[in-house]
Amino acid sequence: MEKIVSLCKRRGFIYPSSEIYGGINGFWDYGPLGAELKRNVKELWWHTMTRQRDDVVGLEATIIMSPQIWKASGHVDTFSDPMIDCKTCKGRFRADQTGEIPCPQKPSKTVSECHGEKTAPRAFNLMFQTYVGPVQDASAVAYLRPETAQAIFAQFKNVLETSRQKVPFGIAQVGKAFRNEVTPRNYTFRSREFEQMELEFFIKPDEVVEAIAGRVATADETFGVPPSGGSEPAKAGTPNIPQSAIANPQSDWGWEAWHKYWVEQRIAFYEGIGLPRNTLVEYWQKPEELAHYARATVDILYKFPFSKRDEKGELTGEELEGIAARSDFDLSQHERFSGKPMGVFDEELRASWGKLSKEKQDELWRRYYENRKKYLVKAGVAGEQASKDATEDANSLAKGQYIPHVIEPSAGVDRLILALICNAYHEDQMPDEKGQLETRVVLQFHPRVAPIKVAVLPLLKNKPELVKKAQSVRDLLRPHLNVFYDDAGAIGRRYRRQDEAGTPFCVTIDFDTLGEKPEWKDTVTMRYRDDGKQERLAIGELLNWLLPKIR
Amino acid sequence: MEKIVSLCKRRGFIYPSSEIYGGINGFWDYGPLGAELKRNVKELWWHTMTRQRDDVVGLEATIIMSPQIWKASGHVDTFSDPMIDCKTCKGRFRADQTGEIPCPQKPSKTVSECHGEKTAPRAFNLMFQTYVGPVQDASAVAYLRPETAQAIFAQFKNVLETSRQKVPFGIAQVGKAFRNEVTPRNYTFRSREFEQMELEFFIKPDEVVEAIAGRVATADETFGVPPSGGSEPAKAGTPNIPQSAIANPQSDWGWEAWHKYWVEQRIAFYEGIGLPRNTLVEYWQKPEELAHYARATVDILYKFPFSKRDEKGELTGEELEGIAARSDFDLSQHERFSGKPMGVFDEELRASWGKLSKEKQDELWRRYYENRKKYLVKAGVAGEQASKDATEDANSLAKGQYIPHVIEPSAGVDRLILALICNAYHEDQMPDEKGQLETRVVLQFHPRVAPIKVAVLPLLKNKPELVKKAQSVRDLLRPHLNVFYDDAGAIGRRYRRQDEAGTPFCVTIDFDTLGEKPEWKDTVTMRYRDDGKQERLAIGELLNWLLPKIR
C-alpha cells in the first residue's frame, strides 16, 4: 500500500488537502491525473445509469438542504457514534475504541486502561453542522448532507411531475457528501469529505405488481438461481451470475427481482471498467445485519490490500457499493414529516383492481395493510392510529394509488478510484534502452477510465519536422480523446512515465513517419503499455483504431 | 422573468431546494433537464480549458480545507458584510440596506425609519463555518470554501512538481462554493450554494519575460488595439475583437497580453455555446474599482432581464465571469503564511540573466524589487523588513528564481445556466395540427449545450412495427448522444414538449420509414426546433449528420 500511496503523490493522482499547512485529517485532493480518472468514472456511471436508459433521469441537488430532511431520514436522531470524554486529558474518544487508542498522556496504556476519569458515553452526531443566514440560533442550524440519497426522495414528486416518467423509474445523482468521522483511515477509503453516485429506483409494491400482472416473479426464477427456501429475504453467498444473464426488466417483477437485477447491473459495471470478477465479493447481508427498513442489502466489496483476511487467508474486501431494497420507508417518512403526499396514481392499477376477484382484492388489501402498519408502528405511530392510517392507505389501492418502494444502488466514488488504482498497480521487468531488464511500475487501467488515452511523442525534440508532425497528430486526436503531448527526454523514459500514468497507448513519430522508409511514410509506432510491444499504424487510421478501444 | 421561472419548474430545469419542507432561502436544485444542461456546460468548459490545451491541467480539491488557507487569502479577516441588530425586533440587517428593507414589525416603514434601537454595524463573515473532529472548539473551526481558487494556489507546488508543466501554465477546477449571503436574490443568480469554474493561469513576471525575451509585448500591439496612453492598467470600454483575432501565446507576452488573451478566449467560449456577442458586455473595471491586489479586471456581463438599465435604456448586465490579473499576491500570501517556498526555478531565466548588461540587470532588479516591496508593505510587513525581504527576492532573479504572477478567469456555473436559459427563451407563433397559429414556447439552446440532443418518436404508439423501428433508431444513436424516446400523445404535442425542453432535433418514424413509400424506406422525418421545418434523412446517415452539429 505504501508504494501505491507514494505513486499517487509522485504522479499527481492524490495529494493531502492543504498539505502546505500540515494537511487536514480526512480530506484529500485529486491532482491532474486523479481529477481526470475521477471524471471518467463519474461520467461512465452517469452515462450507464441515465443516458443509456429510458427509465432513469438525473438530479443535481444542493449539499445544504432544509434540516427537516435529516429529521425525516433519522440522521438527526441516530446518525452518531458513542463518545466518551476524559476529564484528565480533555481528549474525546470513540467509546467502542477505548481499548485500542493509546492514552495521549501515557501512550504505553490504552484509554480504557489509563486512570483518567471518563464521562459516560454520549452520542456524537456525524453530520457537519453550520448556520444559514445572519443569525446563529437553533432555527438557523443546517447540515452538510451525509448522503446524496435524501435529496432524491425530497424531490421525488417534482421529478415525477416534470419528467414524463412512470413507476418503475429511477433518479440518479452524483455529488459530494460529508461525515465527520472520528477516525478517518485507510488513505482515501474513509474520508470526511467524499463523493457518492446514488440511484434511487422506484418500483411498484409487490401487491400492485400482482394486481396488474397477476403474479410476482421471484428473483430466483428470473435469474435462474435455484430456489433457496421460500421467502427468506436475505441469502448469504448467492453465486455470481455472468453478465450475459442479466434479464430485461419485466412487468411482473417484484422487489426481489429488481433488487437482484440491480446487483447484476452494478457488478457488470465494475467488470466493465476493469475490476475483474475475482477481485469483487457479492456479500448478502445477514438478516441480523440489515438496517431496520431494509428487506435485503447486497454489498459489493473490493479486495483492497488493507482488507482483513479470513480464516483461509483470503482478503475479505471492503464496501464499494451497497444495493439496498429499502421498501417504502423513505418516501413514507418524508410524507409524514412534510405533510405532502408522496403516493403516485397508476391508471393500470385502478383498471386492474376492478377486474380482480373479491377474494384477490381482499388478499392484496390485507398484505398491503400489514406492510403499511408495520412501517407505521416502526415509525412510532401509536397502535390505533397506525391501524387507521394503514386502512386508509390500503383503501387507496382501489383508486390506483400507492407509495412506491425503492431499490438503492449507492456507490462511493473515492473508494472506487482507490480500488481502480490498487487493481491497476503492477511491477514487472522490462528491458531498458540498452536491453537490460529493469523493474517497471505500471498502472494497467482499463482504457475507458485511463486519465490519458494516448501520448503523442516526437522521437526527438530538436527536429522541427518531427515536432511539427507530432503536433499535427496531437491536433487530429485531441478533439476526440484526452491526449498528452511530450517531447522532453529519451523515448524510453517517456514511455516509462506514461506507464506510471496508466496511459494505454503511446504514439511515436519518427523519421519513418516523415518518409525515411517510403513504405512507412505517414505511419507511426503504436506502443502498448501492458506488454511494451510495438507495431506500425497509418496516421489516417489512428482515430478509428483508438475510439472503439477507449469507449 | 416570471415566465422563465415557471418554465424552469414545469419542465424540470430548476426546483427550489427542499421544496416539500417550504424550501431553504438561497438554495436551488437542478432537475433532470437542468442537470444535463449543467453537465454539458461544465464538460465543455473542462474540455476547452484543459483537454484541448497542452498548458492547463485539472485539479479537484476538497470543499473543507485547512482554515489557514482562508487566513492567508484574507477571507477570515475581510470577507464580510456590515450588519446591525435591532434590539426591539431582534432582526439582523445589512447596514447598507436598512433604507430599503421593511421593518418586520411595521412593514410600512423601513428599518432605518423605525424606532427600534439599533446596534452599531458589525462585520458579519460570509463564510459558512463548521467544526471538524469530535471537539467543537476554536482549534476545530473550518469553513466551507467561498471560492475554488485558493485550493489551486495551495496545491501549486504539488501540481508543478508532478505534472511536467512549466510556467506559463494553468490549473483548472470546477466545484461547489458557499457564501452565506444575507440577501440571496434574482432567482439562482445569487445563491448561497453555487458552482464555480476557475482557472489560475501562472505567468512569468514582466521582468522575467524581459530578461529572457529581451522585451515585453504590450496587449495593444499583440491584439491590434490602438495604444490608449501608456501604461494605464485598466481601460473602460475597449472595443470587442473578433474571435479569429485571438493571437497565439508568445514568449514575449507580459501580464497585459496574457490578460487580454484570456478575456478574448472567454468571450469566444460564451459565443461558442450560444450567447451572442451583443448580449455580453466586456467591462474593464476602473482603477478605483479594482481589488487592492489586482492590476486589471475585466468582468464579462450578460444582459439579464432583471439587469438595471442605463440612462439610454440599455440593459447594463450582471457578471458571469471576472478575469483578473492578480499579480503575485496569492502565491506570496501562501508563502508567508505556510512558510513553504512558492517560487519556481527557471533555467532559461538563469541562463539569460548572465548574458544581460549590468545596466539591464540593475533595471530589472529594481523593478522586481519595487513590486515585491509594494506587495510586502501592503501585506503588513514593516518597512525595514520589507526592504530586506524584497532585496532577497530580487537577488534570486540571478539564480533563475521568481514567484509567478497569475491571471484568473473565474466563472459562475449557475449564472451561466441562467443566462443560457434566458437567452434561449422565445415565444413565437407556430401552426398547430389543424394549421391554426398558436403561441409556442421554445428554448433555442445551442445544440452543444442542449440537455437532449435528439428526440426519437414513433408516429403511433400502438403499431408494434413503428415502435420497434423507433427503438432501433434510439439504440443506434444513444451511445453517442443524449436521446429522448417518447411515444405518448399526438406527434404535434410531442414536438411542443421537445421545444420547451430545448431539443434541437426530432426524428419521427412513420409508415414511410417502414416502406409504405418504397423510395423513402429507412428514412425518417427530421424536424427542426427553431423553424419547425422538416426534411427526410436516411437512418444510415443520421449519426454522421448529427454529430458535427452537437460538438
mmCIF file of all heavy atoms in Angstrom, chain B residues 238-251:
data_model
loop_
_atom_site.group_PDB
_atom_site.id
_atom_site.type_symbol
_atom_site.label_atom_id
_atom_site.label_comp_id
_atom_site.label_asym_id
_atom_site.label_seq_id
_atom_site.Cartn_x
_atom_site.Cartn_y
_atom_site.Cartn_z
ATOM 1 N N THR B 238 -12.974 49.049 -23.910
ATOM 2 C CA THR B 238 -12.168 48.539 -25.025
ATOM 3 C C THR B 238 -13.079 47.802 -26.003
ATOM 4 O O THR B 238 -13.847 46.935 -25.600
ATOM 5 C CB THR B 238 -11.105 47.569 -24.503
ATOM 6 O OG1 THR B 238 -10.307 48.252 -23.550
ATOM 7 C CG2 THR B 238 -10.230 47.059 -25.626
ATOM 8 N N PRO B 239 -12.998 48.158 -27.281
ATOM 9 C CA PRO B 239 -13.918 47.520 -28.227
ATOM 10 C C PRO B 239 -13.655 46.030 -28.360
ATOM 11 O O PRO B 239 -12.556 45.555 -28.136
ATOM 12 C CB PRO B 239 -13.622 48.242 -29.541
ATOM 13 C CG PRO B 239 -12.251 48.793 -29.396
ATOM 14 C CD PRO B 239 -12.052 49.072 -27.948
ATOM 15 N N ASN B 240 -14.669 45.323 -28.726
ATOM 16 C CA ASN B 240 -14.547 43.884 -28.889
ATOM 17 C C ASN B 240 -13.700 43.526 -30.109
ATOM 18 O O ASN B 240 -13.689 44.226 -31.105
ATOM 19 C CB ASN B 240 -15.929 43.273 -29.074
ATOM 20 C CG ASN B 240 -15.822 41.800 -29.346
ATOM 21 O OD1 ASN B 240 -15.122 41.106 -28.627
ATOM 22 N ND2 ASN B 240 -16.485 41.332 -30.385
ATOM 23 N N ILE B 241 -13.013 42.428 -29.989
ATOM 24 C CA ILE B 241 -12.165 41.938 -31.076
ATOM 25 C C ILE B 241 -12.723 40.603 -31.534
ATOM 26 O O ILE B 241 -13.024 39.750 -30.709
ATOM 27 C CB ILE B 241 -10.723 41.798 -30.573
ATOM 28 C CG1 ILE B 241 -10.120 43.198 -30.464
ATOM 29 C CG2 ILE B 241 -9.878 40.935 -31.493
ATOM 30 C CD1 ILE B 241 -9.072 43.316 -29.422
ATOM 31 N N PRO B 242 -12.887 40.417 -32.829
ATOM 32 C CA PRO B 242 -13.479 39.155 -33.275
ATOM 33 C C PRO B 242 -12.635 37.956 -32.870
ATOM 34 O O PRO B 242 -11.418 38.054 -32.721
ATOM 35 C CB PRO B 242 -13.553 39.291 -34.797
ATOM 36 C CG PRO B 242 -12.818 40.530 -35.158
ATOM 37 C CD PRO B 242 -12.603 41.339 -33.934
ATOM 38 N N GLN B 243 -13.312 36.809 -32.683
ATOM 39 C CA GLN B 243 -12.636 35.593 -32.221
ATOM 40 C C GLN B 243 -11.401 35.239 -33.028
ATOM 41 O O GLN B 243 -10.403 34.798 -32.496
ATOM 42 C CB GLN B 243 -13.575 34.401 -32.354
ATOM 43 C CG GLN B 243 -14.704 34.382 -31.396
ATOM 44 C CD GLN B 243 -15.483 33.102 -31.585
ATOM 45 O OE1 GLN B 243 -14.881 32.034 -31.672
ATOM 46 N NE2 GLN B 243 -16.784 33.204 -31.643
ATOM 47 N N SER B 244 -11.513 35.423 -34.334
ATOM 48 C CA SER B 244 -10.418 34.997 -35.204
ATOM 49 C C SER B 244 -9.142 35.759 -34.894
ATOM 50 O O SER B 244 -8.058 35.340 -35.273
ATOM 51 C CB SER B 244 -10.811 35.219 -36.660
ATOM 52 O OG SER B 244 -11.158 36.584 -36.843
ATOM 53 N N ALA B 245 -9.282 36.876 -34.173
ATOM 54 C CA ALA B 245 -8.093 37.684 -33.890
ATOM 55 C C ALA B 245 -7.367 37.235 -32.634
ATOM 56 O O ALA B 245 -6.379 37.841 -32.246
ATOM 57 C CB ALA B 245 -8.494 39.148 -33.760
ATOM 58 N N ILE B 246 -7.856 36.182 -31.957
ATOM 59 C CA ILE B 246 -7.150 35.748 -30.752
ATOM 60 C C ILE B 246 -5.757 35.273 -31.146
ATOM 61 O O ILE B 246 -5.599 34.335 -31.911
ATOM 62 C CB ILE B 246 -7.898 34.618 -30.022
ATOM 63 C CG1 ILE B 246 -9.278 35.101 -29.598
ATOM 64 C CG2 ILE B 246 -7.104 34.160 -28.805
ATOM 65 C CD1 ILE B 246 -10.124 34.031 -28.945
ATOM 66 N N ALA B 247 -4.767 35.959 -30.622
ATOM 67 C CA ALA B 247 -3.384 35.652 -31.001
ATOM 68 C C ALA B 247 -2.913 34.383 -30.299
ATOM 69 O O ALA B 247 -3.462 33.982 -29.278
ATOM 70 C CB ALA B 247 -2.499 36.831 -30.614
ATOM 71 N N ASN B 248 -1.917 33.716 -30.870
ATOM 72 C CA ASN B 248 -1.301 32.581 -30.204
ATOM 73 C C ASN B 248 -0.294 33.075 -29.180
ATOM 74 O O ASN B 248 0.456 34.013 -29.451
ATOM 75 C CB ASN B 248 -0.588 31.678 -31.213
ATOM 76 C CG ASN B 248 -1.586 30.884 -32.014
ATOM 77 O OD1 ASN B 248 -2.569 30.387 -31.481
ATOM 78 N ND2 ASN B 248 -1.336 30.785 -33.313
ATOM 79 N N PRO B 249 -0.265 32.419 -28.010
ATOM 80 C CA PRO B 249 0.683 32.846 -26.977
ATOM 81 C C PRO B 249 2.118 32.930 -27.497
ATOM 82 O O PRO B 249 2.558 32.070 -28.268
ATOM 83 C CB PRO B 249 0.545 31.736 -25.931
ATOM 84 C CG PRO B 249 -0.863 31.251 -26.066
ATOM 85 C CD PRO B 249 -1.153 31.344 -27.536
ATOM 86 N N GLN B 250 2.816 33.965 -27.079
ATOM 87 C CA GLN B 250 4.197 34.184 -27.486
ATOM 88 C C GLN B 250 5.071 34.328 -26.252
ATOM 89 O O GLN B 250 4.585 34.716 -25.186
ATOM 90 C CB GLN B 250 4.312 35.465 -28.335
ATOM 91 C CG GLN B 250 3.429 35.498 -29.578
ATOM 92 C CD GLN B 250 3.803 34.427 -30.599
ATOM 93 O OE1 GLN B 250 4.971 34.049 -30.721
ATOM 94 N NE2 GLN B 250 2.795 33.922 -31.315
ATOM 95 N N SER B 251 6.367 34.080 -26.452
ATOM 96 C CA SER B 251 7.262 34.096 -25.295
ATOM 97 C C SER B 251 7.513 35.505 -24.764
ATOM 98 O O SER B 251 8.002 35.655 -23.650
ATOM 99 C CB SER B 251 8.586 33.422 -25.656
ATOM 100 O OG SER B 251 9.182 34.122 -26.724
#
